[in-house]
Amino acid sequence: MALSLAKKGEGKVSPNPMVGAVIVKNGKVVGKGYHHYFGGPHAEIEAIKDAGEKVKGATLFVNLEPCCHFGKTPPCTEAIIKAKIKKVVAATLDPNPLNNGKGMQILKKAGVEARVGVCEEEAKKINEVFFKFIREKIPYVIVKAASSLDGKIATFKGESKWITGEKSRLAGKKLRDKMDAILVGINTVIKDDPELLPLSHKKRRFLRVILDSTLRIPLEARVLKNQISYPTLIFTTSGANQEKIGKLKDKGVRVKIVEEDKNGRVSLKKVLKELGEVDIASLLVEGGGEVIGSFIREKLVDKLFLFLSSRIIGGKMAPTWVEGEGFGSLSATPRVKVSRLRKIEEDIVLEAYF
């Protein structure tokens, strides 16, 4: 139940973890809660409030170790001790060094029975984004692509609308609502002129990221509009036109100059580091093929969502969803571990981990 409650905070609490809490007394649930939004009360506080006077002597089940440090809110360990909760069962320890293991120790010292490691794998999967971000200080990277059965994202004449069905496209857009940022390359902007907006207008924050090494972005591009609600960040190199940087900044667009890679393009590792520094915990990479190919080649992708149409397009000049330099030998090629396959009408959705 705590794991299920935690999921309700998806897309709303980042860069914090998703947490659910359930309070049980005499075999009955007397209180429950979850972390609703970033900066709001933690799940444990919500559950204690919900339980009221029944909280004394009860057991608290929570999918992540209660915090013991001051952040946006006071420590949950203090509230648990004050409420006279008898026992705390946590699915997993908090990977945050400020808290890791310390929360459970504080509870034990206060006489609270504390147990950790129940449903641990499920709990870590729910917060896989948080676990990576807190340890590596860079975003969890998901690649999303839609292609024909033979891997094409357009015909050789450039026609691409639409390869997959309407329900598949909707499912793909829903992914955006779970993420902190979306990233595409400049070729996608020039060719498709996308807005790159989340599906929900209630999204707390959503950053649009463009890789544009030579700053070719048209000043009238749709992704440069609506900067107050959904800001755009362009990563470019030191060779970019300074006058154009000024014009973009006048529109409210953020432009960041980063180091080049060996090919003279924006360094993806530097991009991820910069995004981590502004608390972007999750990044959705939507293309095009060159960008996706670079992310895969540099081993920077954590997860893949591939929407496969039943169409076969063919043609050696038709673009594919993974392009770029590629790999010279099969021994060097990365493999993915497929975690889920499902059908959406005539399409197949493949979820996999790198």
Side-chain angles (χ1 to χ4, degrees):
M1 192 183 291
L3 290 164
S4 180
L5 285 166
K7 289 179 183 177
K8 290 186 175 184
E10 190 170 38
K12 301 166 188 167
V13 300
S14 180
N16 280 354
M18 293 180 282
V19 183
V22 178
I23 296 174
V24 176
K25 191 172 185 180
N26 300 325
K28 293 182 179 180
V29 173
V30 295
K32 55 187 178 181
Y34 68 96
H35 188 29
H36 288 249
Y37 59 92
F38 178 72
H42 286 189
E44 298 93 325
I45 307 304
E46 293 278 2
I48 289 170
K49 182 181 177 183
D50 188 43
E53 294 179 0
K54 296 177 182 178
V55 72
K56 187 177 178 181
T59 298
L60 168 70
F61 293 87
V62 63
N63 63 295
L64 191 71
E65 174 184 17
C67 66
C68 61
H69 65 281
F70 279 89
K72 292 283 183 182
T73 58
C76 288
T77 48
E78 284 187 10
I80 290 167
I81 293 165
K82 186 179 178 182
K84 292 184 169 54
I85 287 173
K86 183 181 178 181
K87 181 180 180 180
V88 172
V89 180
T92 181
L93 294 179
D94 187 343
N96 189 336
L98 293 172
N99 201 43
N100 186 249
K102 296 171 187 173
M104 301 306 273
Q105 288 176 7
I106 287 171
L107 292 173
K108 286 177 182 178
K109 284 181 182 178
V112 179
E113 187 183 342
R115 182 183 173 192
V116 68
V118 180
C119 300
E120 186 170 7
E121 290 308 310
E122 296 98 312
K124 285 182 177 179
K125 184 173 174 60
I126 283 175
N127 276 312
E128 58 192 3
V129 168
F130 173 73
F131 272 72
K132 180 191 176 179
F133 179 69
I134 209 73
R135 285 171 173 159
E136 300 182 34
K137 307 299 182 189
I138 60 172
Y140 188 92
V141 177
I142 294 178
V143 160
K144 190 216 87 177
S147 80
S148 63
L149 201 57
D150 55 334
K152 306 296 185 180
I153 56 174
T155 68
F156 71 89
K157 289 186 176 181
E159 186 182 347
S160 61
K161 294 181 180 178
W162 296 102
I163 292 175
T164 54
E166 187 177 346
K167 287 189 177 180
S168 287
R169 298 197 300 275
L170 181 62
K173 284 187 176 180
K174 283 181 178 178
L175 266 177
R176 296 181 183 182
D177 288 350
K178 301 177 181 181
M179 310 296 285
D180 293 339
I182 185 172
L183 180 148
V184 299
I186 185 57
N187 289 334
T188 295
V189 174
I190 291 171
K191 183 187 172 190
D192 299 335
D193 194 21
E195 286 186 284
L196 302 178
L197 295 175
L199 192 63
S200 171
H201 295 297
K202 295 179 181 179
K203 189 83 174 80
R204 182 181 68 86
R205 63 168 186 163
F206 191 72
L207 180 66
R208 299 177 287 179
V209 181
I210 312 295
L211 302 183
D212 189 0
S213 300
T214 55
L215 214 57
R216 293 187 289 136
I217 190 165
L219 292 174
E220 66 276 7
R222 294 201 297 167
V223 75
L224 302 182
K225 298 174 182 177
N226 198 13
Q227 291 301 302
I228 295 175
S229 300
Y230 303 112
T232 299
L233 172 58
I234 299 174
F235 284 100
T236 190
T237 61
S238 56
N241 184 290
Q242 291 298 316
E243 185 181 348
K244 192 166 185 180
I245 289 176
K247 289 179 179 179
L248 287 164
K249 288 183 176 179
D250 288 342
K251 287 176 169 282
V253 178
R254 293 152 61 186
V255 180
K256 185 76 178 178
I257 295 173
V258 294
E259 291 178 22
E260 300 173 11
D261 62 16
K262 64 179 181 180
N263 298 314
R265 296 173 179 172
V266 166
S267 166
L268 298 183
K269 290 180 180 177
K270 292 294 182 183
V271 166
L272 293 185
K273 185 175 182 295
E274 292 284 345
L275 291 175
E277 288 177 0
V278 292
D279 282 342
I280 297 298
S282 57
L283 176 68
L284 184 65
V285 177
E286 283 203 2
E290 291 280 339
V291 169
I292 290 175
S294 296
F295 267 92
I296 291 174
R297 184 170 180 80
E298 294 190 35
K299 300 178 180 178
L300 298 174
V301 185
D302 297 291
K303 194 172 184 180
L304 168 68
F305 280 83
L306 180 59
F307 292 79
L308 282 169
S309 165
S310 56
R311 297 176 189 273
I312 295 175
I313 293 175
K316 61 183 179 181
M317 299 303 292
T320 61
W321 69 274
V322 184
E323 295 192 328
E325 190 176 341
F327 297 89
S329 65
L330 286 176
S331 62
T333 57
R335 286 181 177 270
V336 297
K337 183 178 181 181
V338 178
S339 62
R340 188 184 181 197
L341 276 171
R342 58 191 167 106
K343 279 196 74 179
I344 299 181
E345 294 184 335
E346 296 303 311
D347 301 329
I348 297 168
V349 186
L350 179 149
E351 295 179 33
Y353 291 90
F354 277 76

